[in-house]
Amino acid sequence: KKMGATETSFAKQFSEETSISVLTYNVFFGPYANEVRHPALLNIIKEKDCDVVCLQEVTAEFLKYLLDDPWIKRNYPFTSSTLRKIPRYHYFVLMLSKYSMTFKTWSIPTNLGRDFLVGTLAPGYFIATTHLESMEQHGPVRKQQLQRISEILEDHGEGILCGDFNFCATGNENVNVPEIYLDIWSHLRPNEDGWTEDTENNKMRYLIKPVTKQVRFDRMLLRAQSSLEAQSIDLVGNTHIPSHHDLWPSDHFGLICVLTKK
């Protein structure tokens, strides 16, 4: 048997499933205690065992570390990594999937090498991830990026747009998020802050940059009027690494959402 054929036979088909779990996580490009953080990040991915994993700030080093792991190879037969044989920038976005999936990277306006990754699960169903332009002053670029992303997804049907948006869910840039998208955290946990960067909790984040910060930059948006329904959303990676009191897996926390078909 060809290797590809064998792998595909083990892949889940989204059309046959009733629910799907998705992890989004900005894993922090570092370098900062990578020898401790990278195993901790891998442990989270293994422990949570989500159907689709969307990562931001993936470096060539972390990509190799992930894809060399036998468990990852076995459990995630579909990965977008082939789209980036040689990373053009020092970090990028990545998707791993248990489902049979096709991936496409799209260009978006950027001065920082950012792009947009769309995975098609089945006709009319997508999971998409991005890492929008960093830094407060780049609001106008983020607005252009969201407009372009919205155009790209128009004919992709329904699904989730997730990643690091680089502006807070409570900030004024939210007017740039198309109204057709529902913020899953706000929808399911309206009375909870859900900070994904939080110097009050994440001591490492404060040590890296000693400025107080509590924001919800990392988001999972569901295309509204959808046959998919969000059942739960939870933070991950929001406790320090065992036996390393000053280290967290990343400077961000991740999010896991479970969706069901109506």
Side-chain angles (χ1 to χ4, degrees):
K1 278 186 185 177
K2 285 183 187 163
M3 189 61 194
T6 318
E7 283 180 356
T8 309
S9 62
F10 290 118
K12 292 163 72 166
Q13 299 297 325
F14 184 64
S15 53
E16 295 162 15
E17 301 289 330
T18 54
S19 74
I20 183 170
S21 54
V22 182
L23 165 68
T24 184
Y25 206 163
N26 178 325
V27 294
F28 181 39
F29 68 97
Y32 192 93
N34 289 0
E35 68 288 348
V36 180
R37 291 193 311 105
H38 287 179
L41 287 162
L42 180 59
N43 282 342
I44 288 172
I45 293 170
K46 289 179 176 180
E47 183 194 316
K48 301 304 179 185
D49 199 18
C50 291
D51 296 316
V52 179
V53 175
C54 301
L55 304 176
Q56 303 85 40
E57 292 197 20
V58 175
T59 58
E61 179 198 358
F62 186 55
L63 176 67
K64 184 175 186 325
Y65 178 76
L66 274 184
L67 298 185
D68 282 350
D69 184 82
W71 187 92
I72 293 284
K73 281 182 188 166
R74 195 167 61 245
N75 283 276
Y76 292 104
F78 291 85
T79 164
S80 63
S81 65
T82 50
L83 301 177
R84 284 197 176 272
K85 287 275 191 287
I86 302 162
R88 194 168 147 211
Y89 301 96
H90 65 310
Y91 57 74
F92 45 92
V93 295
L94 175 73
M95 219 180 284
L96 308 170
S97 178
K98 296 183 176 196
Y99 286 107
S100 177
M101 215 171 181
T102 54
F103 302 98
K104 183 171 180 183
T105 299
W106 297 77
S107 296
I108 54 175
T110 183
N111 301 309
L112 298 174
R114 305 295 161 86
D115 53 21
F116 179 49
L117 176 61
V118 182
T120 303
L121 282 162
Y125 288 101
F126 69 83
I127 306 283
T129 192
T130 192
H131 180 194
L132 299 184
E133 214 80 348
S134 306
M135 293 175 284
E136 199 171 342
Q137 69 269 29
H138 289 148
V141 181
R142 286 190 288 275
K143 181 178 181 176
Q144 290 181 313
Q145 290 174 332
L146 283 168
Q147 284 170 339
R148 181 70 189 118
I149 284 168
S150 182
E151 288 166 9
I152 292 164
L153 289 179
E154 249 168 42
D155 60 356
H156 278 75
E158 48 193 291
I160 275 196
L161 167 61
C162 65
D164 179 353
F165 284 54
N166 263 312
F167 61 87
C168 189
T170 56
N172 16 351
E173 281 188 54
N174 273 298
V175 295
N176 301 326
V177 177
E179 283 180 11
I180 194 166
Y181 288 97
L182 172 84
D183 183 297
I184 297 172
W185 188 276
S186 304
H187 176 62
L188 293 180
R189 307 179 79 149
N191 303 317
E192 296 175 62
D193 295 320
W195 308 132
T196 60
E197 272 192 277
D198 183 0
T199 52
E200 289 294 301
N201 178 352
N202 188 335
K203 195 191 289 186
M204 183 184 86
R205 173 67 184 78
Y206 188 79
L207 290 170
I208 291 165
K209 193 176 180 184
V211 178
T212 307
K213 190 172 187 180
Q214 286 183 305
V215 292
R216 187 157 73 82
F217 276 9
D218 304 84
R219 318 267 295 268
M220 301 188 95
L221 308 182
L222 176 64
R223 194 159 174 140
Q225 292 96 46
S226 171
S227 66
L228 297 172
E229 195 165 20
Q231 298 300 328
S232 63
I233 188 166
D234 295 284
L235 289 168
V236 294
N238 55 346
T239 52
H240 69 76
I241 297 169
S243 73
H244 293 273
H245 293 276
D246 290 346
L247 290 179
W248 270 248
S250 174
D251 58 344
H252 287 240
F253 305 146
L255 290 165
I256 289 180
C257 175
V258 176
L259 301 157
T260 54
K261 288 181 186 166
K262 287 180 189 167

